[in-house]
Amino acid sequence: VSQSRYLFIKWRERSLIKSQKELEQKVSEATVVIRNQKAEVEKQKEKVENQKILVEEKNKEILDSIEYAKRIQTAILPPARLVNKFLRDSFILYLPKDIVAGDFYWIESIDDIIYFSVCDCTGHGVPGAMVSVFSSNALNRSVNEYGERLPGKIFDKTRELIIDNFSKSDDEVEDGMDASLCALDRKGRKLLWAGANNPLWIYRSSEGRLEEIKPDKLPIGKGFEYRPFTTHEIDLAPGDIIYLFSDGYADQFGGNPSLKLTRAGFRKHLMLVANLPIQEQEQALLRLFNDFKGEEMQIDDICIIGVKV
């Protein structure tokens, strides 16, 4: 029995030693695998970090380019001193959706007439901004180079210049803009106006109502028809307020459930602020807009001009 037990013990020791060596071998192999995996993870991590740095560098390059584009676009916008000089009782609410915008405003003074316009170019962001720079230049040329003075004629010439410029490309380009253009005499009693898809609203202070002058249903660019734009002649009274705007404010979504503000909602906002001093209306409209928008993202560029007679 003792001999048998001795042999059993020896066999068990050899088995344990063998198992231990096998376990050590497996641990060693597993350690190698883990080290290789760790090395691969570190390699991938380094690769990700390098890609992250590359993405950040690219993003910075893109943002720097867009910021420079903003400087170019800002150069086409009338400076505050010019706005205050020509439109003393006025406000401009300008809210690009992105850093640069497809919306822009334009002001020119010739003789005793002050021209001012809100323009909404195709798209927003960088593409819209590129169109806005050319469109602003086309307006300037229509007035200063070609001598057009009636708003409808200015739009006719601007459309011609835009179409002519884009037709030089081998690609089909149908960009252009919707716009509203006023020509106001310095005494503020007579207004000439033309609209390309965008209407004119006038707050008649003596009656407490908002009057709408409908636009031509034509873009300033390529379209299905090319009839001349209409120049409207409108009488004004002291205290009346002229409102020009793009569609970004009315098209915003907000509320619970989320719904579009619409032109009707925009009219209500204007009626709420119309009796405020003109310089206070900008911030009042902005507060109403932000309250309605809530947590929703701004979906389009916004430009509104208000001028009190």
Side-chain angles (χ1 to χ4, degrees), residues 54-66:
L54 182 61
V55 168
E56 289 174 351
E57 289 175 349
K58 291 295 182 183
N59 284 341
K60 186 177 183 304
E61 288 178 8
I62 293 170
L63 286 174
D64 287 346
S65 296
I66 296 174

Side-chain angles (χ1 to χ4, degrees), residues 95-194:
L95 293 175
K97 176 186 179 296
D98 303 306
I99 297 173
V100 288
D103 284 11
F104 70 95
Y105 53 94
W106 178 86
I107 298 175
E108 185 67 81
S109 178
I110 300 174
D111 300 326
D112 290 328
I113 305 297
I114 301 166
Y115 296 87
F116 55 99
S117 180
V118 166
C119 304
D120 182 358
C121 295
T122 307
H124 48 73
V126 174
M130 293 175 67
V131 179
S132 76
V133 171
F134 177 78
S135 299
S136 176
N137 181 59
L139 278 171
N140 287 326
R141 289 185 64 197
S142 297
V143 172
N144 297 311
E145 181 179 338
Y146 291 93
E148 300 293 354
R149 294 294 179 264
L150 297 177
K153 294 294 185 183
I154 293 171
F155 277 176
D156 290 341
K157 178 54 69 174
T158 301
R159 176 176 59 190
E160 178 185 324
L161 292 171
I162 288 175
I163 292 174
D164 180 63
N165 181 78
F166 289 143
S167 66
K168 295 174 183 177
S169 171
D170 291 333
D171 297 323
E172 185 73 14
V173 180
E174 297 184 355
D175 290 311
M177 65 180 179
D178 298 334
S180 185
L181 171 63
C182 288
L184 180 66
D185 68 74
R186 290 186 181 275
K187 294 180 181 179
R189 295 295 183 268
K190 189 71 67 176
L191 177 70
L192 299 178
W193 172 79

Side-chain angles (χ1 to χ4, degrees), residues 6-273:
Y6 173 77
L7 293 174
F8 173 76
I9 292 172
K10 287 295 183 180
W11 172 83
R12 188 175 183 184
E13 285 179 353
R14 288 195 298 270
S15 297
L16 288 174
I17 292 171
K18 182 179 179 182
S19 297
Q20 183 176 353
K21 288 182 178 180
E22 290 176 350
L23 181 60
E24 288 175 351
Q25 179 65 29
K26 289 180 180 180
V27 169
S28 177
E29 291 173 355
T31 301
V32 171
V33 170
I34 291 171
R35 284 175 181 172
N36 290 339
Q37 289 177 340
K38 185 177 179 181
E40 183 63 26
V41 168
E42 290 296 327
K43 184 178 178 181
Q44 292 297 325
K45 184 178 178 182
E46 183 180 357
K47 186 177 179 180
V48 169
E49 288 297 324
N50 290 337
Q51 289 177 337
K52 183 179 178 182
I53 292 171
L54 182 61
V55 168
E56 289 174 351
E57 289 175 349
K58 291 295 182 183
N59 284 341
K60 186 177 183 304
E61 288 178 8
I62 293 170
L63 286 174
D64 287 346
S65 296
I66 296 174
E67 287 291 348
Y68 189 76
K70 180 182 179 180
R71 290 173 56 190
I72 294 173
Q73 186 177 47
T74 301
I76 73 170
L77 298 176
R81 59 176 178 78
L82 197 63
V83 175
N84 294 332
K85 178 181 178 181
F86 295 141
L87 301 173
R88 286 175 294 178
D89 293 324
S90 68
F91 74 84
I92 298 177
L93 176 57
Y94 186 59
L95 293 175
K97 176 186 179 296
D98 303 306
I99 297 173
V100 288
D103 284 11
F104 70 95
Y105 53 94
W106 178 86
I107 298 175
E108 185 67 81
S109 178
I110 300 174
D111 300 326
D112 290 328
I113 305 297
I114 301 166
Y115 296 87
F116 55 99
S117 180
V118 166
C119 304
D120 182 358
C121 295
T122 307
H124 48 73
V126 174
M130 293 175 67
V131 179
S132 76
V133 171
F134 177 78
S135 299
S136 176
N137 181 59
L139 278 171
N140 287 326
R141 289 185 64 197
S142 297
V143 172
N144 297 311
E145 181 179 338
Y146 291 93
E148 300 293 354
R149 294 294 179 264
L150 297 177
K153 294 294 185 183
I154 293 171
F155 277 176
D156 290 341
K157 178 54 69 174
T158 301
R159 176 176 59 190
E160 178 185 324
L161 292 171
I162 288 175
I163 292 174
D164 180 63
N165 181 78
F166 289 143
S167 66
K168 295 174 183 177
S169 171
D170 291 333
D171 297 323
E172 185 73 14
V173 180
E174 297 184 355
D175 290 311
M177 65 180 179
D178 298 334
S180 185
L181 171 63
C182 288
L184 180 66
D185 68 74
R186 290 186 181 275
K187 294 180 181 179
R189 295 295 183 268
K190 189 71 67 176
L191 177 70
L192 299 178
W193 172 79
N197 285 324
N198 286 349
L200 170 70
W201 287 353
I202 302 175
Y203 179 71
R204 300 294 189 178
S205 59
S206 62
E207 304 171 34
R209 67 182 179 90
L210 200 61
E211 177 184 345
E212 177 176 272
I213 314 297
K214 294 187 180 299
D216 291 306
K217 292 299 182 180
L218 298 168
I220 303 176
K222 281 193 174 183
F224 294 107
E225 57 178 324
Y226 296 98
R227 56 187 167 84
F229 286 96
T230 307
T231 295
H232 299 261
E233 186 173 322
I234 303 157
D235 292 322
L236 300 173
D240 287 348
I241 304 175
I242 302 162
Y243 292 109
L244 307 183
F245 48 88
S246 63
D247 59 7
Y249 194 103
D251 284 348
Q252 180 60 45
F253 284 88
N256 186 20
S258 182
L259 298 171
K260 186 183 290 189
L261 178 63
T262 73
R263 285 275 175 90
F266 181 30
R267 286 178 69 96
K268 289 180 181 178
H269 283 193
L270 283 180
M271 290 298 291
L272 287 172
V273 307

